[in-house]
Amino acid sequence: SPKSFQSNGASEEALRCEIEELKQKDLALDQEIAQLLSEGYSLEELETHISLLHEYNEIKDAGQMLLGKLAVIRGVTTKQLYPEYDLELSD
């Protein structure tokens, strides 16, 4: 319950620390954005890049899932399929 949670000083302190860490991360990200803007990048450009990275990761995850299913069907490891499809282990 909220009352029992609030009465726990250790939990409150842990939350304060977590909030402070999140504030620091937010500040660091703001500084990173400011740095990129000062280097000539636009917010639209950065948003497009982030969107494309998300799309890439989703496609990569789907590919990994398919490779995993194919490996199970063939009774091999996913790693063994990489050369067959000209994939690098770092892919």
Side-chain angles (χ1 to χ4, degrees):
S1 75
K3 284 187 178 183
S4 65
F5 183 76
Q6 288 177 349
S7 66
N8 186 343
S11 294
E12 287 183 27
E13 185 58 32
L15 284 175
R16 281 189 195 98
C17 288
E18 187 175 348
I19 289 169
E20 188 57 37
E21 287 175 13
L22 289 171
K23 286 180 179 178
Q24 292 300 319
K25 285 181 183 180
D26 185 49
L27 180 61
L29 288 172
D30 285 346
Q31 290 172 342
E32 189 174 341
I33 289 169
Q35 174 67 33
L36 290 169
L37 292 173
S38 74
E39 292 174 7
Y41 294 97
S42 70
L43 283 178
E44 182 179 291
E45 203 175 14
L46 295 173
E47 289 172 4
T48 300
H49 185 73
I50 290 169
S51 177
L52 289 171
L53 284 173
H54 284 296
E55 185 177 347
Y56 167 81
N57 284 328
E58 289 172 6
I59 292 168
K60 183 178 177 183
D61 290 345
Q64 289 293 329
M65 184 183 69
L66 290 172
L67 274 176
K69 289 183 181 219
L70 183 59
V72 169
I73 291 168
R74 291 191 182 176
V76 298
T77 66
T78 304
K79 183 178 177 179
Q80 290 171 309
L81 293 176
Y82 273 56
E84 183 177 339
Y85 294 97
D86 295 322
L87 299 171
E88 299 291 326
L89 289 177
S90 60
D91 287 342

